[in-house]
Amino acid sequence: MGNTSNDSQSENREEPRWLPSGESPAISSVMFTAGVLGNLIALALLMRRWRGDSGRRNSISLFHVLVTELVLTDLLGTCLISPVVLASYAQNRTLVALGPERSVCTYFAFSMTFFSLATMLMLFAMALERYLAIGHPYFYQRRVTRRSGLAVLPTIYIVSLLFCSLPLLDHWKYAQYSPGTWCFIGHKQTTYLRLYATLLLLLIIAVLACNFSVIVNLIHMHRRGRRSRCGPSLGSSHRRAERVSMAEETDHLILLAIMTITFAVCSLPFTIFAYMNENSSRKEKWDLQALRFLSINSIIDPWVFAILRPPVLRLMRSVLCCRVSLRAQEATQTSCSTQSNASKQIDL
């Protein structure tokens, strides 16, 4: 016990307790302001939608419930993590020196791992919801409700809390990274660091697989709708409902796909950092860049939702589907004319 305490004290002495000269809080301040502002705008837009749709039955979709929970998670993470960095710059001290027994450093590292994992799990829940809604509609209508969506957030928080608490239970030590305003899982805990990075990578692959399945199902829906135009008339209201459903699902897919690509890009440097050697990562300053990219995701997500409003989504949908629709229309007209000519010959 005495040797352990002496080793920990010697390691604490080796860690810098003052920030290097010339360090500026400009980047951290911009990130904090953009994160809070973007999340507040996204929440205001979501609350406006909730109030506007509250009078109509079954109008608030489960997808928007999950989007609201994602925005709340990003806002909570931004408000709990970024002020610690700003306090470090204000006092010109590293995170290790801000609190006794590395408490601030431990708090910062745990919060970073917790909210990064919770955000990825929320994206996976959104992708799984779209996969079930499009690929298994009967199961979705019977078993999946908005109440289950409200239970997703506490479930994800519990899972993230249990997984991210492993370093605390095993008395593992978080590492402080240059310039002293960041703390995260240290390279000495190689097993847990790579396990965490691998889990994020597997979640990204699962989300991409769900999105790919949704794209395939949407293509099948489009082809079925194209065949129905040549078949017996189903009524204008039925066809209009099919077009509205197809447009809504495409909008949800575009929004989810952009959020997934954003998280994949932001987490890729961290995955590379987890499998790099400690000396090479510090020499190339990959650790600081990886942690910054990982924290940027919670800033970009709400701005993606705020920018991609229904008019913008309609514009993107029209641009993406314009050529496909023209080709489909030509193919439909050709097939319909062929079927009509064949039916005329049969009548003759």
Side-chain angles (χ1 to χ4, degrees):
M1 292 294 293
N3 294 333
T4 304
S5 61
N6 291 333
D7 292 340
S8 62
Q9 291 176 1
S10 61
E11 290 177 355
N12 287 338
R13 293 194 199 100
E14 293 175 358
E15 290 179 323
R17 306 184 68 85
W18 301 96
L19 295 181
S21 59
E23 292 294 331
S24 173
I27 296 179
S28 299
S29 301
V30 171
M31 291 173 61
F32 175 66
T33 304
V36 173
L37 183 61
N39 282 289
L40 290 178
I41 293 175
L43 277 180
L45 294 174
L46 286 167
M47 292 301 104
R48 179 183 177 184
R49 181 184 181 90
W50 279 61
R51 283 196 297 266
D53 294 345
S54 59
R56 289 175 286 179
R57 186 178 180 183
N58 295 331
S59 56
I60 302 175
S61 63
L62 176 58
F63 182 81
H64 284 94
V65 173
L66 296 177
V67 171
T68 305
E69 294 176 349
L70 175 64
V71 173
L72 287 174
T73 300
D74 289 339
L75 179 61
L76 185 62
T78 303
C79 294
L80 292 179
I81 295 177
S82 295
V84 178
V85 181
L86 298 179
S88 175
Y89 279 111
Q91 299 184 23
N92 198 30
R93 292 185 177 184
T94 62
L95 296 185
V96 173
L98 284 182
E101 299 180 358
R102 301 173 54 89
S103 58
V104 177
C105 181
T106 302
Y107 164 79
F108 185 93
F110 173 80
S111 300
M112 280 284 294
T113 55
F114 175 84
F115 285 105
S116 298
L117 180 59
T119 299
M120 191 64 241
L121 288 174
M122 285 300 307
L123 288 175
F124 174 70
M126 294 166 61
L128 184 62
E129 187 269 342
R130 288 293 87 201
Y131 167 75
L132 294 176
I134 303 298
H136 304 276
Y138 297 108
F139 174 83
Y140 181 83
Q141 292 178 359
R142 287 198 306 264
R143 300 297 179 87
V144 182
T145 61
R146 284 195 295 270
R147 290 185 179 179
S148 61
L150 295 176
V152 168
L153 186 63
T155 303
I156 287 178
Y157 278 15
I158 292 174
V159 173
S160 302
L161 180 64
L162 293 177
F163 185 82
C164 297
S165 297
L166 292 178
L168 301 177
L169 297 176
D170 202 18
H171 300 288
W172 289 351
K173 179 183 176 183
Y174 292 110
Q176 178 177 266
Y177 291 92
S178 176
T181 56
W182 299 83
C183 284
F184 205 71
I185 307 168
H187 263 289
K188 294 181 180 180
Q189 286 75 41
T190 307
T191 303
Y192 183 78
L193 178 62
R194 293 182 178 179
L195 178 64
Y196 185 85
T198 304
L199 178 60
L200 293 182
L201 183 61
L202 291 177
L203 287 173
I204 293 174
I205 295 175
V207 171
L208 293 177
C210 290
N211 291 341
F212 180 76
S213 177
V214 170
I215 293 174
V216 173
N217 285 309
L218 287 176
I219 293 174
H220 291 332
M221 290 173 58
H222 179 72
R223 289 177 178 176
R224 285 196 300 267
R226 189 176 62 187
R227 294 193 199 102
S228 65
R229 296 170 191 165
C230 299
S233 177
L234 298 177
S236 60
S237 61
H238 180 76
R239 290 182 178 177
R240 190 182 302 110
E242 281 189 349
R243 287 195 297 268
V244 172
S245 176
M246 188 78 175
E248 289 180 353
E249 299 300 340
T250 305
D251 291 346
H252 292 165
L253 178 63
I254 293 174
L255 182 64
L256 181 59
I258 293 178
M259 287 183 175
T260 305
I261 294 173
T262 301
F263 192 90
V265 172
C266 292
S267 61
L268 183 61
F270 170 74
T271 306
I272 299 175
F273 157 75
Y275 285 91
M276 286 179 66
N277 187 16
E278 180 179 4
N279 295 329
S280 59
S281 65
R282 290 183 181 273
K283 182 179 180 181
E284 300 295 334
K285 295 184 178 180
W286 195 268
D287 47 6
L288 180 59
Q289 301 301 326
L291 294 176
R292 279 181 175 173
F293 265 91
L294 196 62
S295 61
I296 284 175
N297 178 74
S298 61
I299 301 173
I300 298 178
D301 276 346
W303 284 107
V304 169
F305 179 79
I307 294 173
L308 296 182
R309 303 299 300 145
V312 180
L313 288 173
R314 282 195 296 268
L315 177 61
M316 295 180 65
R317 187 173 67 244
S318 63
V319 171
L320 292 174
C321 302
C322 180
R323 296 180 180 179
V324 178
S325 298
L326 290 175
R327 292 177 182 176
Q329 186 177 2
E330 293 176 357
T332 302
Q333 292 175 356
T334 303
S335 61
C336 289
S337 62
T338 304
Q339 291 181 7
S340 62
N341 293 331
S343 62
K344 288 179 181 178
Q345 292 178 1
I346 292 174
D347 292 338
L348 292 173

